[in-house]
Coordinates of all heavy atoms in Angstrom, one line a residue:
M84 N 40.2 48.9 48.8 CA 38.9 48.2 49.2 C 38.0 48.1 48.0 O 37.8 49.1 47.3 CB 38.3 49.0 50.4 CG 37.4 48.2 51.2 SD 37.1 48.9 52.8 CE 36.6 50.6 52.4
R85 N 37.4 47.0 47.9 CA 36.5 46.7 46.7 C 35.1 46.4 47.1 O 34.9 45.8 48.1 CB 37.1 45.5 45.9 CG 37.0 45.6 44.4 CD 37.9 44.5 43.8 NE 37.4 43.2 44.2 CZ 36.5 42.6 43.6 NH1 35.9 43.1 42.5 NH2 36.1 41.4 43.9
I86 N 34.2 46.9 46.3 CA 32.7 46.6 46.6 C 32.3 45.4 45.8 O 32.6 45.2 44.7 CB 31.9 47.8 46.0 CG1 32.3 49.1 46.7 CG2 30.4 47.5 46.2 CD1 31.8 50.4 46.0
V87 N 31.7 44.5 46.6 CA 31.2 43.2 46.0 C 29.7 43.2 46.1 O 29.1 43.5 47.1 CB 31.8 42.0 46.8 CG1 31.3 40.7 46.1 CG2 33.3 42.0 46.8
V88 N 29.1 42.9 45.0 CA 27.6 42.9 44.9 C 27.1 41.4 44.7 O 27.6 40.7 43.8 CB 27.0 43.7 43.8 CG1 25.5 43.7 43.8 CG2 27.5 45.1 43.8
D89 N 26.2 41.0 45.6 CA 25.6 39.7 45.4 C 24.3 40.0 44.5 O 23.3 40.4 45.0 CB 25.2 39.1 46.7 CG 24.6 37.7 46.6 OD1 24.1 37.4 45.5 OD2 24.6 36.9 47.6
W90 N 24.5 39.8 43.2 CA 23.4 40.2 42.3 C 22.1 39.5 42.5 O 21.0 40.0 42.2 CB 23.9 40.1 40.9 CG 25.0 41.0 40.6 CD1 26.4 40.7 40.5 CD2 25.0 42.4 40.4 NE1 27.1 41.8 40.3 CE2 26.3 42.9 40.2 CE3 24.0 43.4 40.4 CZ2 26.6 44.2 40.0 CZ3 24.3 44.7 40.1 CH2 25.6 45.1 40.0
D91 N 22.2 38.3 43.1 CA 21.0 37.5 43.3 C 20.1 38.1 44.4 O 18.9 37.9 44.5 CB 21.3 36.1 43.7 CG 21.9 35.3 42.5 OD1 21.6 35.7 41.4 OD2 22.6 34.3 42.8
R92 N 20.8 38.9 45.3 CA 20.1 39.5 46.5 C 19.6 40.9 46.2 O 18.6 41.3 46.8 CB 21.1 39.6 47.7 CG 21.3 38.2 48.4 CD 22.3 38.4 49.4 NE 22.4 37.2 50.3 CZ 22.0 37.1 51.5 NH1 21.4 38.2 52.1 NH2 22.1 36.0 52.2
C93 N 20.3 41.6 45.3 CA 19.9 43.0 45.1 C 18.5 43.1 44.4 O 18.3 42.4 43.4 CB 21.0 43.6 44.2 SG 20.5 45.3 43.7
T94 N 17.7 43.9 45.1 CA 16.3 44.0 44.5 C 16.1 45.4 44.0 O 15.0 45.8 43.7 CB 15.3 43.8 45.7 OG1 15.6 44.6 46.8 CG2 15.3 42.4 46.1
G95 N 17.2 46.2 43.9 CA 17.1 47.5 43.2 C 16.4 48.5 44.1 O 15.7 49.5 43.5
M96 N 16.4 48.4 45.4 CA 15.7 49.3 46.2 C 16.3 50.7 46.3 O 15.6 51.7 46.7 CB 15.6 48.7 47.6 CG 14.7 47.5 47.7 SD 14.8 46.7 49.2 CE 13.3 47.3 50.0
G97 N 17.5 50.8 46.0 CA 18.1 52.1 45.9 C 18.6 52.8 47.2 O 18.9 54.0 47.2
M98 N 18.6 52.0 48.3 CA 19.1 52.6 49.6 C 20.5 53.0 49.4 O 21.0 54.1 49.9 CB 18.9 51.5 50.7 CG 19.2 52.1 52.0 SD 17.8 53.1 52.6 CE 16.8 51.8 53.3
C99 N 21.3 52.2 48.7 CA 22.7 52.5 48.6 C 22.9 53.7 47.7 O 23.8 54.5 48.0 CB 23.4 51.3 47.9 SG 22.6 50.7 46.3
E100 N 22.0 53.9 46.8 CA 22.2 55.1 45.9 C 21.9 56.4 46.8 O 22.6 57.4 46.6 CB 21.2 55.1 44.8 CG 21.2 56.3 43.9 CD 20.2 56.3 42.8 OE1 19.1 55.7 43.0 OE2 20.5 56.9 41.7
S101 N 21.0 56.3 47.7 CA 20.7 57.5 48.4 C 21.8 57.9 49.4 O 22.0 59.0 49.8 CB 19.3 57.4 49.1 OG 19.3 56.4 50.1
L102 N 22.6 56.9 49.8 CA 23.6 57.1 50.8 C 25.0 57.4 50.1 O 25.8 58.1 50.7 CB 23.8 55.9 51.7 CG 22.6 55.7 52.7 CD1 22.6 54.4 53.3 CD2 22.6 56.8 53.7
A103 N 25.2 56.8 49.0 CA 26.5 57.0 48.3 C 26.2 57.2 46.8 O 26.6 56.3 46.0 CB 27.4 55.9 48.5
P104 N 25.6 58.3 46.4 CA 25.1 58.5 45.0 C 26.3 58.6 43.9 O 26.0 58.3 42.8 CB 24.4 59.8 45.0 CG 24.8 60.5 46.3 CD 25.3 59.4 47.2
D105 N 27.5 58.9 44.4 CA 28.6 58.9 43.4 C 29.0 57.5 43.0 O 29.6 57.3 41.9 CB 29.8 59.6 44.0 CG 29.5 61.1 44.1 OD1 28.5 61.6 43.5 OD2 30.3 61.8 44.9
V106 N 28.7 56.5 43.8 CA 29.2 55.2 43.6 C 28.1 54.3 43.1 O 28.3 53.5 42.2 CB 29.8 54.6 44.9 CG1 30.2 53.1 44.7 CG2 30.9 55.4 45.4
F107 N 26.9 54.4 43.6 CA 25.8 53.5 43.3 C 24.7 54.3 42.5 O 24.4 55.4 42.9 CB 25.1 52.9 44.5 CG 26.1 52.1 45.4 CD1 26.6 52.7 46.6 CD2 26.5 50.8 45.0 CE1 27.5 51.9 47.3 CE2 27.3 50.1 45.8 CZ 27.8 50.7 47.0
E108 N 24.1 53.6 41.5 CA 23.0 54.2 40.8 C 22.0 53.1 40.5 O 22.4 52.1 40.1 CB 23.5 54.9 39.6 CG 22.4 55.6 38.8 CD 22.8 56.2 37.4 OE1 24.1 56.4 37.2 OE2 22.0 56.4 36.6
V109 N 20.7 53.4 40.7 CA 19.7 52.4 40.3 C 19.0 53.0 39.1 O 18.5 54.1 39.2 CB 18.7 52.1 41.4 CG1 17.6 51.2 40.9 CG2 19.4 51.5 42.6
D110 N 19.0 52.4 38.0 CA 18.4 53.0 36.8 C 16.9 52.7 36.8 O 16.3 52.1 37.7 CB 19.1 52.5 35.5 CG 18.8 51.1 35.2 OD1 18.0 50.5 35.8 OD2 19.5 50.5 34.3
D111 N 16.3 53.3 35.7 CA 14.8 53.3 35.7 C 14.1 51.9 35.8 O 13.0 51.8 36.3 CB 14.3 54.0 34.4 CG 14.7 55.5 34.5 OD1 15.0 56.0 35.6 OD2 14.7 56.1 33.4
D112 N 14.8 50.9 35.3 CA 14.2 49.6 35.4 C 14.6 48.8 36.7 O 14.5 47.6 36.8 CB 14.4 48.7 34.1 CG 15.9 48.4 33.9 OD1 16.7 48.7 34.8 OD2 16.2 47.9 32.8
G113 N 15.3 49.5 37.6 CA 15.6 48.9 38.9 C 16.9 48.2 38.9 O 17.1 47.4 39.8
S114 N 17.7 48.4 37.9 CA 19.0 47.7 37.9 C 20.1 48.5 38.6 O 20.2 49.7 38.3 CB 19.5 47.4 36.5 OG 18.5 46.7 35.8
L115 N 20.9 47.9 39.4 CA 21.9 48.6 40.1 C 23.1 48.8 39.2 O 23.6 47.8 38.5 CB 22.3 47.9 41.4 CG 23.5 48.4 42.1 CD1 23.2 49.8 42.7 CD2 23.9 47.4 43.2
I116 N 23.7 50.0 39.2 CA 24.9 50.2 38.4 C 26.0 50.7 39.5 O 25.7 51.6 40.3 CB 24.8 51.4 37.4 CG1 23.7 51.0 36.4 CG2 26.1 51.7 36.7 CD1 23.1 52.2 35.7
V117 N 27.1 50.0 39.5 CA 28.2 50.4 40.4 C 29.2 51.2 39.6 O 29.8 50.6 38.7 CB 28.8 49.2 41.1 CG1 29.9 49.6 42.0 CG2 27.8 48.4 41.9
H118 N 29.3 52.5 39.9 CA 30.2 53.3 39.1 C 31.7 53.0 39.3 O 32.5 53.3 38.4 CB 29.9 54.8 39.3 CG 28.6 55.2 38.7 ND1 28.3 55.1 37.4 CD2 27.4 55.6 39.3 CE1 27.0 55.5 37.2 NE2 26.5 55.8 38.3
S119 N 32.0 52.6 40.5 CA 33.4 52.3 40.8 C 33.5 51.1 41.7 O 33.0 51.2 42.8 CB 34.0 53.6 41.4 OG 35.2 53.3 42.0
E120 N 34.1 50.1 41.2 CA 34.2 48.9 42.1 C 35.2 49.1 43.3 O 35.0 48.7 44.4 CB 34.8 47.7 41.3 CG 33.7 46.8 40.7 CD 34.2 45.4 40.4 OE1 35.4 45.2 40.5 OE2 33.4 44.6 40.2
E121 N 36.2 49.9 43.0 CA 37.1 50.3 44.0 C 36.5 51.5 44.8 O 35.9 52.4 44.1 CB 38.4 50.8 43.4 CG 39.4 49.7 43.0 CD 39.9 48.9 44.2 OE1 40.1 49.5 45.3 OE2 40.0 47.7 44.1
V122 N 36.5 51.5 46.1 CA 35.9 52.6 46.8 C 36.7 53.8 46.6 O 38.0 53.8 46.9 CB 35.9 52.2 48.4 CG1 35.3 53.4 49.1 CG2 35.1 51.0 48.6
P123 N 36.1 54.9 46.1 CA 36.9 56.1 45.8 C 37.4 56.7 47.0 O 36.8 56.7 48.1 CB 35.9 57.0 45.1 CG 34.7 56.2 44.7 CD 34.7 55.0 45.7
E124 N 38.6 57.4 46.9 CA 39.1 58.1 48.1 C 38.2 59.1 48.6 O 37.5 59.8 47.9 CB 40.4 58.8 47.6 CG 41.7 58.2 48.3 CD 42.9 59.0 47.9 OE1 43.5 58.6 47.0 OE2 43.2 60.0 48.6
G125 N 38.1 59.1 49.9 CA 37.2 60.1 50.6 C 35.7 59.7 50.6 O 34.9 60.4 51.2
Q126 N 35.4 58.5 50.1 CA 34.0 58.1 50.0 C 33.8 56.9 50.9 O 32.7 56.2 50.9 CB 33.6 57.7 48.6 CG 33.8 58.8 47.6 CD 32.5 59.3 47.0 OE1 31.5 58.7 47.2 NE2 32.5 60.4 46.4
E127 N 34.8 56.5 51.7 CA 34.7 55.3 52.5 C 33.6 55.3 53.4 O 32.9 54.3 53.5 CB 36.0 55.1 53.2 CG 36.4 53.7 53.4 CD 37.7 53.6 54.1 OE1 38.8 53.9 53.6 OE2 37.7 53.1 55.3
G128 N 33.3 56.4 54.1 CA 32.3 56.5 55.1 C 30.9 56.3 54.4 O 30.1 55.5 54.9
E129 N 30.7 56.9 53.3 CA 29.4 56.8 52.6 C 29.2 55.4 52.2 O 28.1 54.8 52.3 CB 29.3 57.7 51.4 CG 29.2 59.2 51.7 CD 30.5 59.9 51.6 OE1 31.5 59.4 52.2 OE2 30.6 60.9 51.0
V130 N 30.2 54.8 51.6 CA 30.1 53.5 51.0 C 29.9 52.5 52.2 O 29.0 51.6 52.0 CB 31.4 53.1 50.2 CG1 31.4 51.6 49.8 CG2 31.4 53.9 49.0
R131 N 30.6 52.6 53.3 CA 30.4 51.7 54.4 C 28.9 51.8 54.9 O 28.3 50.8 55.2 CB 31.3 52.1 55.6 CG 32.6 51.4 55.4 CD 33.4 51.7 56.7 NE 34.8 51.5 56.5 CZ 35.4 50.3 56.5 NH1 34.7 49.3 56.7 NH2 36.7 50.2 56.3
E132 N 28.4 53.0 55.0 CA 27.0 53.2 55.4 C 26.0 52.5 54.4 O 25.1 51.9 54.8 CB 26.7 54.7 55.4 CG 26.3 55.2 56.8 CD 25.9 56.6 56.8 OE1 26.8 57.4 56.8 OE2 24.7 56.9 56.7
A133 N 26.3 52.7 53.1 CA 25.5 52.1 52.1 C 25.5 50.6 52.2 O 24.5 49.9 52.2 CB 25.9 52.5 50.7
V134 N 26.7 50.0 52.4 CA 26.8 48.5 52.6 C 26.0 48.1 53.8 O 25.3 47.1 53.7 CB 28.3 48.2 52.7 CG1 28.5 46.7 53.1 CG2 29.0 48.4 51.4
A135 N 26.1 48.8 54.9 CA 25.5 48.4 56.1 C 24.0 48.6 56.0 O 23.2 47.9 56.7 CB 26.0 49.2 57.3
S136 N 23.5 49.5 55.2 CA 22.1 49.8 55.1 C 21.3 49.0 54.1 O 20.1 49.1 54.0 CB 21.9 51.3 54.8 OG 22.5 52.0 55.8
C137 N 22.0 48.3 53.2 CA 21.3 47.5 52.2 C 20.3 46.5 52.9 O 20.8 45.7 53.6 CB 22.3 46.8 51.3 SG 21.4 45.7 50.1
P138 N 19.0 46.6 52.6 CA 18.0 45.8 53.3 C 18.2 44.3 53.0 O 17.7 43.5 53.7 CB 16.7 46.3 52.8 CG 17.0 47.4 51.8 CD 18.4 47.6 51.6
T139 N 18.8 44.0 51.8 CA 18.9 42.6 51.5 C 20.3 42.0 51.7 O 20.6 40.9 51.3 CB 18.4 42.3 50.0 OG1 19.3 43.1 49.2 CG2 17.0 42.8 49.8
E140 N 21.1 42.9 52.3 CA 22.6 42.5 52.5 C 23.2 42.0 51.2 O 24.0 41.0 51.2 CB 22.6 41.4 53.6 CG 22.1 41.9 54.9 CD 22.2 40.9 56.1 OE1 22.5 39.7 55.8 OE2 22.0 41.3 57.2
A141 N 23.0 42.7 50.2 CA 23.6 42.4 48.9 C 25.0 42.9 48.7 O 25.7 42.5 47.8 CB 22.7 42.9 47.7
L142 N 25.4 43.9 49.6 CA 26.7 44.5 49.4 C 27.7 44.1 50.5 O 27.3 43.9 51.6 CB 26.5 46.0 49.5 CG 25.6 46.7 48.5 CD1 25.4 48.2 48.8 CD2 26.1 46.5 47.1
S143 N 28.9 43.9 50.1 CA 30.0 43.7 51.0 C 31.2 44.3 50.5 O 31.3 44.8 49.4 CB 30.1 42.2 51.3 OG 30.4 41.5 50.0
L144 N 32.2 44.4 51.4 CA 33.5 45.0 51.1 C 34.6 44.0 51.2 O 34.6 43.1 52.1 CB 33.8 46.2 52.0 CG 32.8 47.4 51.9 CD1 33.1 48.3 53.0 CD2 33.0 48.1 50.6
E145 N 35.5 44.0 50.2 CA 36.6 43.0 50.2 C 37.9 43.8 50.3 O 38.0 44.9 49.8 CB 36.5 42.4 48.8 CG 37.2 41.0 48.7 CD 36.9 40.4 47.3 OE1 37.6 40.9 46.4 OE2 36.1 39.6 47.2
G146 N 38.8 43.2 51.0 CA 40.1 43.8 51.1 C 40.2 44.9 52.2 O 41.0 45.8 52.0
E147 N 39.5 44.7 53.2 CA 39.5 45.8 54.3 C 40.8 45.6 55.1 O 41.2 44.5 55.4 CB 38.3 45.6 55.2 CG 37.0 46.0 54.5 CD 35.9 46.0 55.5 OE1 35.8 47.0 56.3 OE2 35.1 45.1 55.6
Ligands
SF4_47 S1 20.4 48.9 48.7 FE1 20.9 46.8 48.3 S2 19.2 45.9 47.3 FE2 19.0 48.2 47.1 S3 20.0 48.7 45.2 FE3 21.5 48.8 46.7 S4 22.5 46.8 46.7 FE4 20.6 46.6 45.7

């Protein structure tokens, strides 16, 4: 399963980082860094929660 980011929608709010900090990071200037495009084993729950919680719906999952 792969994480897809709609970069035009992401506003760097960091909700995803707070829910799945191993996968998402928002740096000091508000840019999102995705550490692993593939959802790491054992992190599916956190990543799904992060995807569902993004206020701008910038995140989606591919290959479910
Ligand atoms: S929660 Fe959504 S808008 Fe905020 S940094 Fe993550 S992807 Fe971007």
Side-chain angles (χ1 to χ4, degrees):
M84 198 160 57
R85 216 167 62 85
I86 300 162
V87 181
V88 182
D89 182 341
W90 296 102
D91 291 336
R92 283 176 172 250
C93 175
T94 54
M96 292 170 99
M98 191 72 88
C99 52
E100 180 183 30
S101 62
L102 291 165
D105 291 344
V106 177
F107 302 103
E108 182 185 342
V109 178
D110 71 11
D111 292 342
D112 65 9
S114 307
L115 173 65
I116 301 158
V117 180
H118 288 298
S119 166
E120 266 205 350
E121 280 295 322
V122 177
E124 242 183 272
Q126 304 243 349
E127 212 181 289
E129 288 99 310
V130 170
R131 276 186 197 281
E132 238 182 282
V134 168
S136 302
C137 173
T139 62
E140 299 182 349
L142 299 174
S143 56
L144 293 171
E145 203 176 74
E147 290 191 76

